[in-house]
Amino acid sequence: MGISISENENGTLYARYMEGKDKDGRPMLLKLNTYEGLNTNRVYHYDTMRYSEEKRSSGTYVYIEMETHLEGEEDKIVTVRISLSLVNGTWLLDSPTY
């Protein structure tokens, strides 16, 4: 996937390894220098946030759903599910947000 820390040409670090198989079918890591990263610049619509009706939350684990779109793609709104976990009195994100 990679990461992006700025819009500059050298501000993106693309993923360098991916899972693959050798000629005998054994698992191995493949080095990849040209893989483009995913666009992770999401805009979240916090006014649509709600508890998930599909996943059951508890006192220490909560599933939240909300609408979101990628920057520049305002017409492609999707609903995402985000998980939060209560750890030592602090709610922590427990799912990817891309």
Side-chain angles (χ1 to χ4, degrees), residues 40-89:
T40 59
N41 297 327
R42 289 209 158 271
V43 176
Y44 291 91
H45 301 258
Y46 294 103
D47 59 329
T48 66
M49 191 182 318
R50 61 193 175 275
Y51 283 110
S52 174
E53 293 182 12
E54 294 181 26
K55 293 285 235 174
R56 203 144 179 75
S57 297
S58 70
T60 58
Y61 205 84
V62 178
Y63 296 98
I64 296 171
E65 294 177 352
M66 73 175 86
E67 294 177 2
T68 180
H69 67 270
L70 292 172
E71 283 184 2
E73 297 183 11
E74 290 79 11
D75 58 330
K76 296 181 181 175
I77 294 177
V78 296
T79 300
V80 297
R81 183 180 303 129
I82 298 172
S83 306
L84 301 171
S85 179
L86 184 61
V87 179
N88 296 327

